[in-house]
mmCIF file of all heavy atoms in Angstrom:
data_model
loop_
_atom_site.group_PDB
_atom_site.id
_atom_site.type_symbol
_atom_site.label_atom_id
_atom_site.label_comp_id
_atom_site.label_asym_id
_atom_site.label_seq_id
_atom_site.Cartn_x
_atom_site.Cartn_y
_atom_site.Cartn_z
ATOM 1 N N PRO Y 18 120.083 96.073 122.187
ATOM 2 C CA PRO Y 18 121.019 96.536 123.219
ATOM 3 C C PRO Y 18 120.295 96.915 124.514
ATOM 4 O O PRO Y 18 119.283 97.605 124.485
ATOM 5 C CB PRO Y 18 121.664 97.775 122.604
ATOM 6 C CG PRO Y 18 121.289 97.779 121.163
ATOM 7 C CD PRO Y 18 120.086 96.914 120.999
ATOM 8 N N VAL Y 19 120.826 96.459 125.638
ATOM 9 C CA VAL Y 19 120.291 96.832 126.950
ATOM 10 C C VAL Y 19 121.004 98.120 127.357
ATOM 11 O O VAL Y 19 122.213 98.145 127.531
ATOM 12 C CB VAL Y 19 120.530 95.728 128.000
ATOM 13 C CG1 VAL Y 19 120.080 96.184 129.370
ATOM 14 C CG2 VAL Y 19 119.812 94.454 127.591
ATOM 15 N N ILE Y 20 120.233 99.191 127.506
ATOM 16 C CA ILE Y 20 120.799 100.489 127.846
ATOM 17 C C ILE Y 20 120.923 100.649 129.356
ATOM 18 O O ILE Y 20 121.913 101.167 129.852
ATOM 19 C CB ILE Y 20 119.943 101.610 127.221
ATOM 20 C CG1 ILE Y 20 119.984 101.462 125.688
ATOM 21 C CG2 ILE Y 20 120.415 102.976 127.653
ATOM 22 C CD1 ILE Y 20 118.983 102.287 124.951
ATOM 23 N N SER Y 21 119.921 100.203 130.073
ATOM 24 C CA SER Y 21 119.937 100.328 131.530
ATOM 25 C C SER Y 21 119.097 99.207 132.138
ATOM 26 O O SER Y 21 118.104 98.789 131.552
ATOM 27 C CB SER Y 21 119.361 101.687 131.938
ATOM 28 O OG SER Y 21 119.299 101.812 133.325
ATOM 29 N N LYS Y 22 119.517 98.752 133.330
ATOM 30 C CA LYS Y 22 118.778 97.684 134.004
ATOM 31 C C LYS Y 22 118.878 97.900 135.509
ATOM 32 O O LYS Y 22 119.963 98.059 136.044
ATOM 33 C CB LYS Y 22 119.364 96.339 133.610
ATOM 34 C CG LYS Y 22 118.720 95.150 134.244
ATOM 35 C CD LYS Y 22 119.252 93.833 133.703
ATOM 36 C CE LYS Y 22 120.748 93.784 133.721
ATOM 37 N NZ LYS Y 22 121.303 92.497 133.327
ATOM 38 N N GLU Y 23 117.744 97.958 136.190
ATOM 39 C CA GLU Y 23 117.681 98.062 137.640
ATOM 40 C C GLU Y 23 116.814 96.915 138.145
ATOM 41 O O GLU Y 23 115.667 96.779 137.735
ATOM 42 C CB GLU Y 23 117.064 99.389 138.075
ATOM 43 C CG GLU Y 23 117.919 100.597 137.772
ATOM 44 C CD GLU Y 23 119.174 100.664 138.625
ATOM 45 O OE1 GLU Y 23 119.125 100.195 139.780
ATOM 46 O OE2 GLU Y 23 120.188 101.161 138.123
ATOM 47 N N ILE Y 24 117.361 96.094 139.014
ATOM 48 C CA ILE Y 24 116.642 94.929 139.521
ATOM 49 C C ILE Y 24 116.336 95.131 140.993
ATOM 50 O O ILE Y 24 117.236 95.377 141.802
ATOM 51 C CB ILE Y 24 117.462 93.642 139.299
ATOM 52 C CG1 ILE Y 24 117.734 93.452 137.809
ATOM 53 C CG2 ILE Y 24 116.745 92.446 139.901
ATOM 54 C CD1 ILE Y 24 118.633 92.296 137.480
ATOM 55 N N GLN Y 25 115.063 95.049 141.348
ATOM 56 C CA GLN Y 25 114.587 95.151 142.712
ATOM 57 C C GLN Y 25 114.029 93.779 143.108
ATOM 58 O O GLN Y 25 113.763 92.948 142.246
ATOM 59 C CB GLN Y 25 113.469 96.206 142.806
ATOM 60 C CG GLN Y 25 113.887 97.585 142.348
ATOM 61 C CD GLN Y 25 114.933 98.198 143.245
ATOM 62 O OE1 GLN Y 25 114.878 98.041 144.458
ATOM 63 N NE2 GLN Y 25 115.895 98.882 142.657
ATOM 64 N N PRO Y 26 113.818 93.533 144.384
ATOM 65 C CA PRO Y 26 113.280 92.225 144.790
ATOM 66 C C PRO Y 26 111.915 91.898 144.188
ATOM 67 O O PRO Y 26 111.617 90.733 143.940
ATOM 68 C CB PRO Y 26 113.171 92.340 146.311
ATOM 69 C CG PRO Y 26 114.122 93.411 146.698
ATOM 70 C CD PRO Y 26 114.167 94.363 145.530
ATOM 71 N N ASP Y 27 111.095 92.919 143.927
ATOM 72 C CA ASP Y 27 109.743 92.645 143.444
ATOM 73 C C ASP Y 27 109.459 93.126 142.022
ATOM 74 O O ASP Y 27 108.367 92.920 141.519
ATOM 75 C CB ASP Y 27 108.714 93.234 144.405
ATOM 76 C CG ASP Y 27 108.896 94.731 144.583
ATOM 77 O OD1 ASP Y 27 109.961 95.252 144.223
ATOM 78 O OD2 ASP Y 27 107.960 95.380 145.094
ATOM 79 N N HIS Y 28 110.414 93.792 141.364
ATOM 80 C CA HIS Y 28 110.200 94.216 139.976
ATOM 81 C C HIS Y 28 111.524 94.591 139.310
ATOM 82 O O HIS Y 28 112.548 94.706 139.970
ATOM 83 C CB HIS Y 28 109.203 95.384 139.908
ATOM 84 C CG HIS Y 28 109.690 96.642 140.553
ATOM 85 N ND1 HIS Y 28 109.583 96.856 141.899
ATOM 86 C CD2 HIS Y 28 110.273 97.741 140.031
ATOM 87 C CE1 HIS Y 28 110.084 98.046 142.191
ATOM 88 N NE2 HIS Y 28 110.523 98.600 141.079
ATOM 89 N N ILE Y 29 111.451 94.779 137.988
ATOM 90 C CA ILE Y 29 112.636 95.104 137.189
ATOM 91 C C ILE Y 29 112.325 96.305 136.317
ATOM 92 O O ILE Y 29 111.252 96.392 135.722
ATOM 93 C CB ILE Y 29 113.039 93.909 136.294
ATOM 94 C CG1 ILE Y 29 113.451 92.723 137.146
ATOM 95 C CG2 ILE Y 29 114.138 94.291 135.333
ATOM 96 C CD1 ILE Y 29 113.743 91.468 136.357
ATOM 97 N N HIS Y 30 113.286 97.220 136.221
ATOM 98 C CA HIS Y 30 113.217 98.306 135.251
ATOM 99 C C HIS Y 30 114.249 97.986 134.175
ATOM 100 O O HIS Y 30 115.429 97.796 134.484
ATOM 101 C CB HIS Y 30 113.558 99.647 135.906
ATOM 102 C CG HIS Y 30 112.544 100.110 136.885
ATOM 103 N ND1 HIS Y 30 111.593 101.030 136.567
ATOM 104 C CD2 HIS Y 30 112.324 99.761 138.177
ATOM 105 C CE1 HIS Y 30 110.837 101.247 137.618
ATOM 106 N NE2 HIS Y 30 111.250 100.478 138.614
ATOM 107 N N LEU Y 31 113.802 97.910 132.923
ATOM 108 C CA LEU Y 31 114.680 97.536 131.823
ATOM 109 C C LEU Y 31 114.490 98.523 130.686
ATOM 110 O O LEU Y 31 113.370 98.733 130.221
ATOM 111 C CB LEU Y 31 114.333 96.114 131.357
ATOM 112 C CG LEU Y 31 115.228 95.468 130.317
ATOM 113 C CD1 LEU Y 31 116.633 95.262 130.873
ATOM 114 C CD2 LEU Y 31 114.645 94.134 129.887
ATOM 115 N N PHE Y 32 115.566 99.147 130.253
ATOM 116 C CA PHE Y 32 115.543 100.098 129.151
ATOM 117 C C PHE Y 32 116.300 99.448 127.995
ATOM 118 O O PHE Y 32 117.517 99.280 128.059
ATOM 119 C CB PHE Y 32 116.192 101.405 129.591
ATOM 120 C CG PHE Y 32 116.071 102.537 128.624
ATOM 121 C CD1 PHE Y 32 114.955 102.711 127.832
ATOM 122 C CD2 PHE Y 32 117.089 103.476 128.523
ATOM 123 C CE1 PHE Y 32 114.844 103.759 126.948
ATOM 124 C CE2 PHE Y 32 116.995 104.542 127.658
ATOM 125 C CZ PHE Y 32 115.867 104.689 126.875
ATOM 126 N N VAL Y 33 115.555 99.043 126.956
ATOM 127 C CA VAL Y 33 116.105 98.278 125.840
ATOM 128 C C VAL Y 33 115.803 99.011 124.538
ATOM 129 O O VAL Y 33 114.726 99.574 124.364
ATOM 130 C CB VAL Y 33 115.461 96.869 125.788
ATOM 131 C CG1 VAL Y 33 115.986 96.064 124.625
ATOM 132 C CG2 VAL Y 33 115.703 96.129 127.076
ATOM 133 N N SER Y 34 116.743 98.986 123.615
ATOM 134 C CA SER Y 34 116.527 99.573 122.304
ATOM 135 C C SER Y 34 116.060 98.473 121.353
ATOM 136 O O SER Y 34 116.775 97.499 121.123
ATOM 137 C CB SER Y 34 117.834 100.188 121.790
ATOM 138 O OG SER Y 34 117.644 100.722 120.501
ATOM 139 N N ILE Y 35 114.830 98.618 120.836
ATOM 140 C CA ILE Y 35 114.293 97.643 119.883
ATOM 141 C C ILE Y 35 114.030 98.346 118.556
ATOM 142 O O ILE Y 35 113.796 99.553 118.536
ATOM 143 C CB ILE Y 35 112.995 96.979 120.411
ATOM 144 C CG1 ILE Y 35 111.919 98.017 120.687
ATOM 145 C CG2 ILE Y 35 113.273 96.138 121.634
ATOM 146 C CD1 ILE Y 35 110.566 97.438 121.026
ATOM 147 N N PRO Y 36 114.070 97.614 117.453
ATOM 148 C CA PRO Y 36 113.800 98.231 116.154
ATOM 149 C C PRO Y 36 112.360 98.747 116.081
ATOM 150 O O PRO Y 36 111.458 98.189 116.723
ATOM 151 C CB PRO Y 36 113.993 97.084 115.158
ATOM 152 C CG PRO Y 36 114.719 96.023 115.887
ATOM 153 C CD PRO Y 36 114.436 96.204 117.343
#
Side-chain angles (χ1 to χ4, degrees):
V19 175
I20 298 168
S21 177
K22 179 174 50 175
E23 292 291 328
I24 301 175
Q25 302 294 321
D27 58 344
H28 65 277
I29 296 175
H30 292 261
L31 187 64
F32 188 34
V33 179
S34 178
I35 59 172

